[in-house]
Amino acid sequence: MTAHVTIIGAGLGGLTLAGVLHVHGITATVYEAEASPTARTQGGMLDIHDYNGQLAVQAAGLMDEFRGIILEGRQAMRALDREGNVLLDQPDDGTGGRPEVQRGELRRILLDSLPDGTVRWGHKVSGVRGLGGDRHEVTFADGGTVVTDLLVGADGAWSRVRPLLSDAAPEYTGMSFVETYLFDADTRHAAAAKAVGGGSMFAIEPGRSQIAAHRESGGTLHTYVMLTKPLDWFAGIDFTDSAAATTRIAQEFDGWAPELTALITDSDTAPVVRPHYTLPVGHRWDRVPGVTLLGDAAHLIPPNGEGANLAMLDGAELGEALAAHPDDVEAALAAYEQVMFPRSAAVGEAEADAPDNPTIEDVISFFAGADQTA
């Protein structure tokens, strides 16, 4: 293949694409806005599914490395009510198809598989424009530019590459997460640790707010407080005052069991708001020579456990399509998009069909059936 692949974004999807291309002897350069691999923490745990994410890991030749970062026992699931009563307690018996790993560790093994210099850190994209034919110019915040025959936008929700293909823009879903962390939970936050259990916990009051938590590595509890509120509501909270912010968030759970509200009020870190945005379900575009998208840049949906998996599978399948059509980039991009569009649309439609105010029965049904969806 003569065209050099230019990838914008060193998230899981972009790195998987670069890794699969490397397996097939195709060179690529990844441009990433972050200054270094350790410029920021990489989020919490991910369940990597055997029907999409693991297929991408395998395509990148990293299954042994992947097995080495799996957190054993974390596929356990619990559902609680607001009083802390356990409604479902599903242990991890080792047969589930969704092993949990830390996002940062998964990114690390992908980075380690690439030749030195593949990722160019500190390259924040300020603009992209077409030059005619299949060529595009990428401009960076420092004034530098690069011209490419094959441009891939793996740059997330607010993609700078997407406008080359689509006028679609992310819209707020009406829900945000507030993230908190409890460290050394088994000794310092024993009641909360007992409530969460060995894997994932989901507590819900039907028709109202929800609390989810994961047991990560090292006894860390990572909590996602789910609130259906307008953005202005969050803007009215001073998140620079951690104590006041956690108190205000906890007020939404007045009357809940103290071991559950402790996941908010006892946070060892400042609470962080994560608004959820989405692109239109079934988002697609007409074929534009020399450019395509993957992951959230292509099909942003609210968090439902599939986003990272889809991004990685996108990257793997795009890499394999380019390897299968070394002399015809357009045939490769068309083949990739022909599969990616309906797959992402199906996931988006399933998310859109989910109940806005899930009942406890909905939650139990989801948890109990999770391993059967593979």
Side-chain angles (χ1 to χ4, degrees):
M1 180 173 170
T2 57
H4 185 86
V5 183
T6 298
I7 304 166
I8 307 301
L12 298 178
L15 293 177
T16 301
L17 170 57
V20 172
L21 291 174
H22 176 59
V23 166
H24 290 282
I26 300 171
T27 58
T29 303
V30 183
Y31 293 93
E32 169 56 47
E34 292 176 8
S36 74
T38 57
R40 67 176 179 89
T41 57
Q42 293 298 310
M45 289 200 311
L46 296 172
D47 50 321
I48 303 301
H49 309 157
D50 53 11
Y51 55 91
N52 48 24
Q54 289 184 50
L55 300 180
V57 172
Q58 188 170 9
L62 295 173
M63 282 305 294
D64 287 344
E65 291 82 354
F66 175 76
R67 293 187 187 98
I69 64 171
I70 289 173
L71 295 173
E72 298 296 338
R74 299 311 197 277
Q75 291 185 78
M77 297 182 185
R78 309 185 99 195
L80 277 59
D81 64 16
R82 57 174 284 168
E83 285 81 29
N85 298 310
V86 178
L87 307 174
L88 174 76
D89 195 354
Q90 187 167 291
D92 181 357
D93 62 4
T95 64
R98 299 167 174 238
E100 299 274 0
V101 300
Q102 296 284 156
R103 180 186 286 267
E105 287 293 283
L106 182 55
R107 191 192 198 204
R108 177 186 59 78
I109 67 172
L110 287 165
L111 283 169
D112 287 350
S113 74
L114 300 175
D116 290 344
T118 298
V119 180
R120 307 286 174 85
W121 302 98
H123 282 72
K124 181 178 176 62
V125 175
S126 59
V128 181
R129 66 188 183 104
L131 299 178
D134 58 359
R135 293 168 64 77
H136 294 86
E137 180 185 69
V138 181
T139 303
F140 301 102
D142 63 3
T145 62
V146 63
V147 174
T148 179
D149 293 325
L150 178 47
L151 178 64
V152 180
D155 48 344
W158 307 102
S159 172
R160 292 285 192 165
V161 179
R162 188 192 300 121
L164 293 172
L165 298 165
S166 167
D167 293 330
E171 294 185 357
Y172 181 52
T173 64
M175 175 182 279
S176 296
F177 283 175
V178 177
E179 288 187 72
T180 63
Y181 284 88
L182 273 61
F183 301 132
D184 301 320
D186 293 307
T187 53
R188 299 179 59 243
H189 309 283
K194 182 179 178 181
V196 172
S200 300
M201 181 279 294
F202 197 94
I204 182 173
E205 182 177 15
R208 297 196 60 192
S209 303
Q210 306 158 37
I211 300 175
H214 287 157
R215 178 179 288 270
E216 297 188 351
S217 59
T220 294
L221 302 182
H222 185 181
T223 300
Y224 304 86
V225 183
M226 307 177 198
L227 294 170
T228 301
K229 300 283 187 181
L231 291 173
D232 288 348
W233 188 87
F234 294 99
I237 299 174
D238 181 7
F239 280 90
T240 64
D241 184 341
S242 296
T246 53
T247 297
R248 179 64 190 90
I249 298 300
Q251 286 176 4
E252 297 298 306
F253 299 87
D254 185 43
W256 285 49
E259 62 269 27
L260 296 176
T261 56
L263 292 165
I264 306 169
T265 57
D266 291 359
S267 179
D268 291 314
T269 61
V272 176
V273 181
R274 306 287 189 194
H276 297 168
Y277 292 85
T278 186
L279 287 169
V281 173
H283 176 239
R284 60 191 301 149
W285 53 87
D286 294 331
R287 176 92 293 284
V288 174
V291 60
T292 194
L293 306 172
L294 61 77
D296 285 350
H299 44 72
L300 178 67
I301 58 174
N304 67 349
E306 295 290 353
N309 286 279
L310 288 178
M312 293 176 67
L313 187 58
D314 287 351
E317 290 190 345
L318 176 54
E320 291 183 328
L322 290 167
H325 301 275
D327 301 318
D328 193 341
V329 167
E330 284 308 298
L333 299 185
Y336 157 70
E337 291 176 355
Q338 185 177 10
V339 175
M340 182 269 289
F341 286 144
R343 177 176 62 225
S344 58
V347 174
E349 288 164 2
E351 176 65 21
D353 289 341
D356 291 333
N357 295 309
T359 66
I360 290 175
E361 290 74 18
D362 290 330
V363 175
I364 292 175
S365 176
F366 173 79
F367 274 179
D371 286 335
Q372 276 69 57
T373 61

